[in-house]
Amino acid sequence: MTKSYQEIRQKLRGSICPVITPFKANHEIDFEKQSELIEFQLANGTHGISVTGTSGEPSSLTTEERVQVMENAMKTVNGRVPFAPGTGSVNHDETMYLTKKAEEMGADAAMVIVPYYNKPNQLALYKHFKTVADSVEIPIIIYNIPGRTAQNMEVSTMARLVKDCPNIVGVKEANKDFEHVNRVMLNCGRDFLLYSGIELLCYPMLAIGGAGSISATANVEPRKVADMHNAWEQGDIKKAQDLHYELMNLNDVLFKDTNPAPSKAALGMMGKINPTLRLPMDLPSKELQDEIRETLKQYNIETPNTI
């Protein structure tokens, strides 16, 4: 293992926020707001930044827009915390292109999703990820989210990739099968970076040796999400558990519609963004928006704006 891979195993831990992509009312990307959101994260203790993952609406962006979002985020972060953008796509060549772009701009790692919609078999998944990993030296984090890709990367496939590709250093598991994630750690190695992408499993995954979480909830309540990880690292198990349960109501309401629609609605209420999504995505129903607003008030989060 090279020094850089050892370093990333130490650096890329805790709450890595998958920052949403803000749009203006005319649906153009609002880069100024994106920078403000990243500053909001860093001011509230977030340990790392990611963009253009699920929360960043990558399917609604052109390839070049994804590069622009990555570049603006990289410039804003400016080395203050690790930066790991999402570079995966349903298209193999696009994934290769975006991952190389992430490497060229100096990102700390690239997060590559299991391709969605086309449901490749396990051998095809192996070939896809190995080809991408072999084409770059940047550390790769697999993004396994079977609820949105309709395909689960099996533990045996992941373990084979980790064995054959030194730069595959971790996985974001948005996987409700907790037996699966335990077996990931057993078969990929205890130093493999396991991140939770399921909000209610962020704390439990720490207990089995996880490195942290990449949680959409951090967009709205970054301080509490970061503090849960801080408490765990400091050995304050009671505080970490308390924060886990304290966040549950917010986690629940932010996933009553497809991510990132509820988070964007919440950030709009908070006055952080113009709460715009590109079709085919749209804001939640008025009823859910009312519930989101009431939940934010329960967390003493100011909601000066109506949407």
Side-chain angles (χ1 to χ4, degrees):
M1 187 189 305
T2 66
K3 182 180 178 183
S4 62
Y5 303 148
Q6 291 174 332
E7 287 176 350
I8 202 64
R9 290 178 191 275
Q10 298 301 317
K11 289 171 54 179
L12 197 58
R13 308 183 76 85
S15 175
I16 297 128
C17 182
V19 179
I20 61 99
T21 302
F23 298 121
K24 300 177 183 177
N26 64 1
H27 295 94
E28 292 180 358
I29 299 168
D30 193 331
F31 292 104
E32 182 177 351
K33 287 295 182 186
Q34 185 200 25
S35 294
E36 290 176 5
L37 289 173
I38 292 171
E39 294 295 346
F40 170 62
Q41 290 296 319
L42 300 185
N44 281 280
T46 291
H47 305 106
I49 296 294
S50 183
V51 295
T52 61
T54 303
S55 299
E57 294 175 77
S59 298
S60 298
L61 304 174
T62 67
T63 303
E64 288 310 309
E65 282 178 329
R66 289 184 65 173
V67 173
Q68 291 166 8
V69 168
M70 289 160 56
E71 288 176 338
N72 188 63
M74 178 81 184
K75 179 180 177 182
T76 305
V77 171
N78 194 29
R80 289 177 286 175
V81 296
F83 176 56
T87 60
S89 166
V90 69
N91 182 281
H92 178 75
D93 289 343
E94 183 180 34
T95 301
M96 296 272 285
Y97 173 78
L98 290 169
T99 306
K100 288 178 180 178
K101 282 291 184 181
E103 180 174 51
E104 289 170 5
M105 68 180 66
D108 294 281
M111 185 170 65
V112 181
I113 194 169
V114 169
Y116 37 92
Y117 181 74
N118 47 22
K119 295 179 67 175
N121 62 36
Q122 296 299 309
L123 179 58
L125 280 179
Y126 172 84
K127 290 180 178 179
H128 170 69
F129 275 89
K130 187 173 190 304
T131 304
V132 173
D134 285 350
S135 72
V136 293
E137 293 186 4
I138 188 172
I140 301 292
I141 298 167
I142 296 167
Y143 182 11
N144 192 29
I145 179 169
R148 293 186 79 141
T149 64
Q151 184 64 290
N152 181 49
M153 180 179 284
E154 295 176 2
V155 174
S156 58
T157 304
M158 199 175 301
R160 184 183 176 196
L161 282 164
V162 171
K163 178 178 179 291
D164 294 346
C165 305
N167 58 330
I168 294 182
V169 298
V171 61
K172 175 184 177 180
E173 280 285 0
N175 196 324
K176 293 183 178 181
D177 184 348
F178 203 56
E179 288 188 16
H180 167 91
V181 296
N182 276 270
R183 296 187 188 284
V184 166
M185 291 298 286
L186 177 66
N187 288 275
C188 294
R190 297 281 289 279
D191 62 345
F192 193 56
L193 299 176
L194 171 67
Y195 306 98
S196 177
I198 297 289
E199 276 58 27
L200 295 191
L201 294 182
C202 290
Y203 172 78
M205 283 199 194
L206 293 175
I208 65 167
S213 65
I214 305 175
S215 164
T217 301
N219 278 288
V220 177
E221 184 58 288
R223 174 59 65 183
K224 287 189 190 315
V225 177
D227 280 351
M228 184 184 73
H229 292 88
N230 292 336
W232 175 265
E233 287 298 319
Q234 293 161 9
D236 192 342
I237 306 305
K238 176 68 163 54
K239 182 178 179 180
Q241 288 178 343
D242 288 346
L243 285 165
H244 166 69
Y245 287 109
E246 186 178 335
L247 284 163
M248 281 182 66
N249 287 341
L250 182 60
N251 287 332
D252 286 345
V253 78
L254 292 179
F255 283 86
K256 287 192 174 182
D257 196 353
T258 305
N259 180 49
S263 292
K264 279 200 159 181
L267 288 166
M269 295 170 193
M270 294 162 64
K272 299 290 186 186
I273 62 167
N274 182 318
T276 301
L277 294 92
R278 287 180 176 176
L279 292 172
M281 297 291 288
D282 202 359
L283 287 170
S285 67
K286 182 182 182 305
E287 290 76 16
L288 181 52
Q289 289 185 36
D290 290 342
E291 187 177 351
I292 292 168
R293 182 180 295 278
E294 287 306 309
T295 304
L296 294 179
K297 289 179 181 178
Q298 293 169 18
Y299 284 79
N300 296 315
I301 297 173
E302 293 184 11
T303 56
N305 287 5
T306 58
I307 64 172

